[in-house]
Amino acid sequence: MIINGNYFGFTDIVFTFDSFQISALKSLSYKDSLGRSYVRGTSPLPLGFTTGKYEASFEMELYLPSVALITSTPGWRQIPHVATVAYGPNAVAPLPFTIDTIAGIYLKDLDNSNSDSEDGITRKFSGMVMLPILYNGIPSIIATSTIGAVG
């Protein structure tokens, strides 16, 4: 977003993970997709599309002191986590322009790779997301059924 010629960058992000505001964030990535396919039958032209399968993923790289906030809870890979990402002029205005919410994050991978560098030591987390990501409060997909059939 541009306001009076200013573009906001990585330092304008306020990142919260499980209610902890984390400023020792090196990188952040989250994405979702809806895998749909054509239904053709014997027709050379598509008859329609499948409903598709929604998938979302989450990755973050934190500097070592912030890692303890996440890994200090026993079973931290087995419980769902919530992250919020606020984009906007943190020091200029009282409210951010956009807030994305990623709920139902199950962390699965923790990369402890290290190398000779002038940068601080980091840990990379990646995970699966069970609920639709809310982009500024709006889901990109509406689930028609979240309860399995009972027979």
Side-chain angles (χ1 to χ4, degrees):
M1 174 162 294
I2 184 167
I3 303 293
N4 297 330
N6 293 321
Y7 287 89
F8 300 106
F10 193 72
T11 58
D12 295 307
I13 292 174
V14 176
F15 177 64
T16 306
F17 193 87
D18 287 345
S19 74
F20 294 110
Q21 185 172 324
I22 298 177
S23 59
L25 176 70
K26 182 172 182 179
S27 66
L28 176 66
S29 172
Y30 52 97
K31 62 183 178 178
D32 62 355
S33 65
L34 181 62
R36 300 180 80 169
S37 62
Y38 288 111
V39 173
R40 293 181 187 271
T42 58
S43 172
L45 299 174
L47 300 172
F49 296 98
T50 62
T51 303
K53 292 182 181 179
Y54 177 84
E55 291 187 7
S57 62
F58 175 86
E59 294 180 352
M60 65 181 170
E61 186 173 0
L62 304 177
Y63 288 100
L64 198 55
S66 293
V67 172
L69 294 172
I70 296 160
T71 60
S72 61
T73 302
W76 55 269
R77 287 184 193 214
Q78 297 171 299
I79 58 174
H81 302 276
V82 177
T84 58
V85 186
Y87 300 92
N90 300 328
V92 179
L95 298 173
F97 290 111
T98 301
I99 299 176
D100 293 344
T101 304
I102 307 104
I105 302 167
Y106 285 86
L107 298 173
K108 61 178 192 164
D109 297 322
L110 175 57
D111 183 348
N112 294 300
S113 300
N114 294 292
S115 63
D116 182 25
S117 170
E118 294 177 0
D119 200 5
I121 294 173
T122 62
R123 298 290 185 258
K124 297 176 189 173
F125 293 87
S126 65
M128 302 168 69
V129 180
M130 292 295 296
L131 298 171
I133 295 172
L134 301 179
Y135 295 100
N136 205 27
I138 308 295
S140 63
I141 183 172
I142 299 171
T144 55
S145 175
T146 57
I147 301 174
V150 178

